[in-house]
């Protein structure tokens, strides 16, 4: 990720094919990565069925185009004023012109849509995303939402994959506090752990 750009230059794909080939890249300290996971109970190939179901968009700050339609220019101007960086809902725009103007903006890549994905009827699709910061002492997950507890019907058998999954995305924090010195002849009070670290970790 880059500042104001969700999809940066470096991409790591879980499944590659000729249509989605990306360049090789190396991880570096202080980089931020978005871990984007889409899974389903079906064939694992979620698709966009109806573009009208998409209601969330984001301004593509690196794209420019001279819009032809008056409604598109009106909506695009409103987006630049109210939502120049962060994603927004189409409901936040003026209702009458929004849908018509958004289509031209999306067609010319001025807006990045966040589509609603579907599988076959009866199947479920889950989209999970969180952010990881690469630090010198390991990786830290800095944005996430608690996941709903589910019972899986599949298990990972490959020992190498199990070892990778066991690493997690959260590194141990180093404590920043110092032990308080007790008065002479008195017992020192126990030190409270901060940031989830034990007193031993703080030292």
């Amino acid at each position: 990720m880059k500042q104001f750009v969700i999809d940066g230059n470096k991409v790591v794909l879980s499944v590659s094919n000729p249509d989605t080939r990306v360049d090789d890249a190396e991880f570096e300290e202080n980089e931020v990565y978005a871990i984007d996971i889409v899974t389903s109970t079906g064939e694992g190939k979620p698709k966009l069925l109806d573009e009208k179901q998409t209601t969330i968009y984001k301004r593509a700050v690196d794209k420019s185009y001279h819009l032809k339609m008056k409604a598109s220019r009106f909506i695009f101007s409103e987006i630049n004023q109210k939502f120049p960086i962060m994603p927004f809902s189409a409901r936040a725009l003026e209702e009458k012109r929004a849908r018509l103007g958004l289509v031209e903006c999306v067609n010319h890549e001025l807006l990045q849509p966040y589509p609603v994905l579907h599988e076959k009827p009866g199947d479920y699709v889950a989209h999970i995303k969180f952010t990881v910061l690469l630090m010198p002492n390991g990786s830290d997950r800095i944005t996430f939402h608690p996941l709903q507890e589910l019972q899986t019907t599949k298990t990972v058998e490959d020992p190498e994959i199990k070892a990778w999954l066991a690493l997690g995305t959260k590194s141990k924090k180093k404590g920043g506090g110092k032990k308080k010195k007790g008065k002479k002849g008195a017992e020192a009070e126990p030190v409270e752990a901060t940031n989830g670290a034990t007193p031993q970790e703080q030292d």
Side-chain angles (χ1 to χ4, degrees), residues 159-196:
E160 187 176 355
I161 295 177
K162 282 185 175 180
W164 277 103
L165 292 174
L167 294 176
T169 55
K170 186 70 177 173
S171 61
K172 291 183 178 179
K173 298 240 182 208
K174 293 182 178 179
K178 294 183 178 180
K179 291 184 178 179
K180 295 180 180 179
K181 293 183 179 179
K183 293 181 180 178
K184 195 172 182 180
E187 289 184 4
E189 294 181 1
V191 179
E192 284 189 16
T194 57
N195 298 329

Side-chain angles (χ1 to χ4, degrees), residues 75-135:
I75 289 300
F76 191 62
S77 175
E78 185 181 355
I79 292 169
N80 281 329
Q81 290 176 10
K82 295 182 178 179
F83 316 104
I85 300 169
M86 300 299 292
F88 62 91
S89 170
R91 293 190 301 271
L93 303 173
E94 187 173 323
E95 290 291 336
K96 295 179 181 178
R97 305 187 188 186
R99 181 57 61 183
L100 186 62
L102 289 173
V103 171
E104 187 182 6
C105 293
V106 171
N107 289 342
H108 294 285
E109 300 181 344
L110 295 178
L111 297 179
Q112 175 187 343
Y114 289 81
V116 179
L117 301 176
H118 295 267
E119 277 268 14
K120 292 180 180 178
D123 287 328
Y124 296 96
V125 178
H127 192 173
I128 303 163
K129 196 164 190 171
F130 59 91
T131 311
V132 172
L133 176 61
L134 304 187
M135 300 296 290

Side-chain angles (χ1 to χ4, degrees), residues 61-80:
V61 295
D62 56 338
K63 301 290 184 180
S64 61
Y65 177 80
H66 183 69
L67 295 164
K68 304 293 188 292
M69 294 172 54
K70 185 177 180 180
S72 303
R73 293 196 298 270
F74 178 87
I75 289 300
F76 191 62
S77 175
E78 185 181 355
I79 292 169
N80 281 329

